[in-house]
Amino acid sequence: WEIEPDQRHADIIVHELGLEESKPVITPGETESRQEEEEDEEPLDAAMASKYRAIAARANYLAGDRTDLMYAVKEICRSMANATARAWKKPKRLGRYLRGNSRVAVKYPRQGEENEIVGYSDSDWAGCRKTGKSTSGGALMIGSHLIKAWSRTQNHVTMSPAEAELIALVQCTSECMGVQSILRDWGQEVRSTLYADSSAALAIAKRKGAGKLRHIRVSALWIQYVQDREGTEHIKILGTENPADLMTKYLTREKVDNAI
């Protein structure tokens, strides 16, 4: 099986941005410089703000099936309520990327009956310099098949990289349990193995209670209970080998290709 998102959405985004003759770029977004962060955030007028939201909504629909767009589109959608001239640069960058990368296909080759869900989680601690919030990213695999991926801004400001990574791991565990529940309804029992590149977050997940980490929210410790009840295994993975890294930050083209 091979699944390809509708290319027309990419073409419409490029057309709406007036980038049909623009030079393509190799990444969907780029980290803002210190000078750009200090620029005045002048609000867009009503017509441009409406256009921004329309492009963001279409891009969000397209990103549901394209892991290479998830983080960039998530960042675009964060400005939908209050679009500014500075925020407008992000969809323009996305449009130039789609200009040269309008088509991506997800392949599902034939495989045996797998009895394990493998999850990958990652976090970019305080990746938003304006709010101090982190991003959680993750992916679920059954064999070589991608089942689900996501990129989401965390709800509150975390006090340490370990806490941010723990929240991302908790979210990955929750998503994994959801897939397990669906498979259980279909009469199939599967185990789960979750990978994270943070030794600190894994250590918290495997202990009992918060210990000296008083700032860790109690809800994040739910993962300790699940680990005992469900038998979920948590394993360390190198950051360079973690595909969830793609959903938490802008990567170079080489890293994007490796993650995909």
Side-chain angles (χ1 to χ4, degrees):
W1 290 86
E2 188 172 297
I3 298 177
E4 181 178 344
D6 192 341
Q7 182 189 353
R8 291 177 299 173
H9 294 296
D11 295 338
I12 291 172
I13 291 173
V14 173
H15 174 72
E16 289 293 321
L17 292 167
L19 298 174
E20 292 91 342
E21 303 300 325
S22 66
K23 182 179 179 180
V25 293
I26 58 176
T27 57
E30 59 182 349
T31 304
E32 293 181 329
S33 65
R34 182 67 65 180
Q35 180 179 357
E36 289 174 322
E37 291 176 354
E38 295 174 354
E39 290 179 357
D40 292 334
E41 296 198 21
E42 181 181 350
L44 296 176
D45 59 46
M48 288 297 292
S50 179
K51 185 175 183 179
Y52 183 100
R53 288 191 289 269
I55 292 172
R58 187 178 296 276
N60 192 41
Y61 180 80
L62 182 63
D65 295 314
R66 290 190 55 170
T67 55
D68 60 326
L69 303 182
M70 285 185 177
Y71 178 72
V73 172
K74 187 267 293 184
E75 289 295 295
I76 292 173
C77 290
R78 293 183 65 196
S79 300
M80 287 182 71
N82 299 291
T84 64
R86 193 181 104 191
W88 181 250
K89 296 179 182 179
K90 294 180 180 179
K92 295 280 281 189
R93 173 77 183 196
L94 178 67
R96 292 179 62 196
Y97 174 77
L98 293 175
R99 175 85 172 78
N101 300 270
S102 61
R103 300 180 64 181
V104 170
V106 182
K107 296 184 177 180
Y108 291 86
R110 178 178 290 274
Q111 62 182 16
E113 185 175 337
E114 304 293 331
N115 60 357
E116 180 184 38
I117 301 174
V118 178
Y120 299 92
S121 75
D122 189 37
S123 173
D124 182 28
W125 179 51
C128 179
R129 296 180 181 178
K130 180 179 179 181
T131 64
K133 290 186 177 181
S134 308
T135 296
S136 293
L140 297 181
M141 307 282 294
I142 295 182
S144 61
H145 296 176
L146 175 66
I147 303 303
K148 186 174 185 178
W150 61 89
S151 176
R152 299 166 187 159
T153 301
Q154 295 181 2
N155 293 329
H156 62 276
V157 177
T158 52
M159 305 301 294
S160 66
E163 184 182 4
E165 292 281 358
L166 178 63
I167 291 174
L169 186 57
V170 168
Q171 186 168 14
C172 185
T173 303
S174 177
E175 297 285 357
C176 185
M177 288 184 63
V179 175
Q180 282 182 300
S181 178
I182 293 173
L183 293 175
R184 194 174 295 119
D185 291 340
W186 293 344
Q188 185 177 2
E189 289 289 340
V190 296
R191 65 178 186 272
S192 60
T193 302
L194 305 180
Y195 290 88
D197 55 24
S198 171
S199 298
L202 291 171
I204 296 171
K206 293 177 180 180
R207 69 170 59 143
K208 299 295 183 183
K212 295 182 179 180
L213 301 175
R214 299 296 183 184
H215 65 280
I216 297 293
R217 290 174 177 257
V218 175
S219 58
L221 300 180
W222 163 82
I223 194 173
Q224 299 174 353
Y225 167 72
V226 171
Q227 187 170 229
D228 289 339
R229 189 187 70 180
E230 302 290 338
T232 302
E233 188 175 6
H234 297 89
I235 300 177
K236 178 78 164 61
I237 187 174
L238 294 177
T240 55
E241 299 176 0
N242 189 355
D245 199 39
L246 178 64
M247 276 69 81
T248 60
K249 59 183 72 70
Y250 298 122
L251 301 178
T252 62
R253 185 66 210 187
E254 181 182 2
K255 293 182 178 180
V256 169
D257 291 337
N258 290 337
I260 294 177

